Amino acid sequence: MIVLVVLGALLVLALLAVVHWYLWRRLVRDVSVPGGRWRRAGTVLAVVLPLLSVGALVGGRLFPMAVERWFAWPGFLWLPVLLYLLIALGVGELLRPVLLRLPARRAEPAAVAVATVARAPQAAEAVPAPEADGPSAPAAPSPERRLFVARAIALGASGAAAAVVGTGTYGVLRGPRLKHVTVPLAKLPARAHGYRIAVVSDIHLGPILGRAHTQRIVDTINAAQPDLITIVGDLVDGTVPELGRDAEPLARLRARDGAFFVTGNHEYFSGAAPWVDFVRELGVHPLQNARVELGGFDLAGINDIAGEREGDGPDFGKALGDRDRDRTAVLLSHQPVTIHDAVRHGVDLQLSGHTHGGQLWPGNYLAELANPTVAGLERYGDTQLYVTRGAGAWGPPVRVGAPSDITIVTLASLRA
């Protein structure tokens, strides 16, 4: 097992090295003068940035949170920049042959000047005259033209990546927006028609998102005045001593029927039991394979699948086994993959998170491979599954194509 882990780590490092060599070639070597400032600075960045990203990814296991924060911001932010640089440069590779064959314009003075200086020795070499006989071959692009195209592609790719990541970062730091979904339930009594549940998941308090992020979420939920608040896992990426203060604003959550919490997989990475005790002290009620009866339905919650490694996994029998099946059942389960067990136990509505909606496009396509539903409302037999994209972000504080949300789920009775 250890050998496989080491081999996997070496493979990842080798891939990072190849990718950064390619970036260095296209964004530094191909567009700069040998020995120039940008060549030197770009070479340093091509080494330092991947090291910071590795430090951000493993820092939580090696360093205290105060030290991890120094790696987290630059290291995690570089990962989405890297992703979108590669995508943009891939488009640039397709366009490069076309751009090289376009008629040259006079407005290439910078490229011409630099190329002339950089390639002066080569310019002095004799160039054989073309053969007089036979059809003339198309002229190869000049060095000046190649430099101009390389710089245009590098500038365009860098600008596109910066714009995408900047917008995605702003969306996360601004805080999640409210989303409204109405779910009709056949067994819901008329008196519960219009009942509103605030669903928030994947807050991911950690080295980047902290107390201010929690306060924004609390303010958004309280302003919506829901009847019930549900926190569906992945609240934190760290321990109670490290992040307890950042989670304290949850004590100010307000709803008629209170706030409830179930664990996500990241709670088990950080120590689930202390967090369960801590959120209880904040006035948020943990549902650990348990159920409560509310006015018009049963609210049940199960532990995350990650708890199975600690003998603390989901127990559907304990949470739902002895309930009255004539009553509507709403289940809190962090991961959407438990939907098939929920169907077997007669759950009417499962509320989940975990997927982040993919977080970074095209990550949604990968998320679809591991989850029955990535985001939104879908039906499985007589059970409906709603998956929120979550209110935070794991790793890079960036979302692209998957904006963060807090969802107000309104229950609708067919008897109303």
Side-chain angles (χ1 to χ4, degrees):
M1 181 65 181
I2 295 178
V3 174
L4 291 176
V5 171
V6 172
L7 289 175
L10 290 175
L11 181 61
V12 170
L13 291 175
L15 181 61
L16 273 176
V18 170
V19 166
H20 283 83
W21 173 83
Y22 169 74
L23 287 184
W24 174 84
R25 179 181 173 185
R26 287 306 191 205
L27 300 180
V28 180
R29 191 199 71 175
D30 290 356
V31 303
S32 62
V33 179
R37 278 185 195 172
W38 175 239
R39 179 72 64 94
R40 293 195 299 269
T43 301
V44 170
L45 288 174
V47 175
V48 171
L49 288 172
L51 292 178
L52 287 173
S53 294
V54 171
L57 290 168
V58 303
R61 296 180 177 87
L62 301 177
F63 307 110
M65 186 69 67
V67 176
E68 186 185 357
R69 286 191 170 99
W70 288 96
F71 293 97
W73 270 105
F76 277 132
L77 274 177
W78 172 241
L79 293 174
V81 172
L82 173 64
L83 170 64
Y84 294 111
L85 271 176
L86 290 174
I87 292 174
L89 286 172
V91 175
E93 298 294 357
L94 298 176
L95 295 176
R96 189 182 302 271
V98 177
L99 295 175
L100 287 172
R101 284 166 176 76
L102 289 176
R105 299 184 344 178
R106 291 186 177 182
E108 297 176 10
V112 172
V114 173
T116 302
V117 173
R119 294 173 172 79
Q122 290 83 349
E125 296 177 5
V127 179
E131 296 290 338
D133 299 330
S136 60
S142 67
E144 293 81 5
R145 183 65 179 173
R146 290 185 180 277
L147 180 60
F148 177 79
V149 170
R151 287 182 168 178
I153 292 175
L155 183 62
S158 301
V164 169
V165 173
T167 303
T169 303
Y170 171 75
V172 171
L173 299 183
R174 174 200 62 196
R177 291 296 185 252
L178 276 181
K179 181 179 179 181
H180 294 268
V181 173
T182 299
V183 181
L185 297 171
K187 293 185 291 184
L188 189 72
R191 70 179 184 277
H193 180 74
Y195 192 94
R196 301 166 75 244
I197 304 174
V199 182
V200 58
S201 180
D202 302 282
I203 296 173
H204 284 291
L205 300 178
I208 293 179
L209 300 176
R211 187 183 179 95
H213 182 63
T214 311
Q215 189 61 58
R216 283 191 293 269
I217 290 170
V218 169
D219 292 342
T220 301
I221 292 175
N222 286 347
Q225 298 181 322
D227 300 302
L228 175 71
I229 300 167
T230 59
I231 304 172
V232 197
D234 279 7
L235 170 63
V236 291
D237 286 303
T239 64
V240 172
E242 292 172 325
L243 296 172
R245 182 180 178 278
D246 294 335
E248 285 176 354
L250 296 176
R252 294 190 282 275
L253 286 170
R254 296 290 179 265
R256 184 186 71 191
D257 289 333
F260 292 82
F261 166 79
V262 294
T263 54
N265 53 309
H266 282 249
E267 271 73 56
Y268 289 96
F269 302 156
S270 309
W275 276 111
V276 168
D277 293 339
F278 187 78
V279 298
R280 184 182 288 113
E281 292 174 7
L282 296 178
V284 179
H285 310 293
L287 285 176
Q288 296 182 280
N289 298 322
R291 182 180 76 255
V292 294
E293 292 186 3
L294 300 177
F297 61 95
D298 293 341
L299 180 70
I302 55 170
N303 297 342
D304 187 72
I305 298 170
E308 292 176 347
R309 294 191 296 268
E310 303 176 14
D312 192 36
D315 188 333
F316 281 85
K318 186 177 178 182
L320 296 162
D322 60 347
R323 74 179 189 86
D324 180 0
R325 292 230 176 178
D326 289 332
R327 285 173 57 86
T328 297
V330 176
L331 174 68
L332 308 182
S333 175
H334 178 64
Q335 298 197 38
V337 293
T338 60
I339 183 60
H340 305 297
D341 290 306
V343 171
R344 284 192 289 272
H345 286 82
V347 169
D348 299 278
L349 172 63
Q350 175 176 315
L351 302 175
S352 298
H354 182 63
T355 68
H356 297 206
Q359 186 165 327
L360 295 170
W361 181 91
N364 54 304
Y365 297 112
L366 294 177
E368 287 175 359
L369 300 177
N371 298 278
T373 297
V374 174
L377 182 67
E378 291 188 359
R379 177 178 289 276
Y380 294 83
D382 293 330
T383 303
Q384 296 183 75
L385 168 64
Y386 178 75
V387 181
T388 172
R389 292 189 180 97
W394 180 81
V398 183
R399 284 176 170 266
V400 177
S404 57
D405 70 68
I406 297 167
T407 304
I408 302 298
V409 173
T410 301
L411 305 183
S413 171
L414 299 184
R415 306 171 184 178

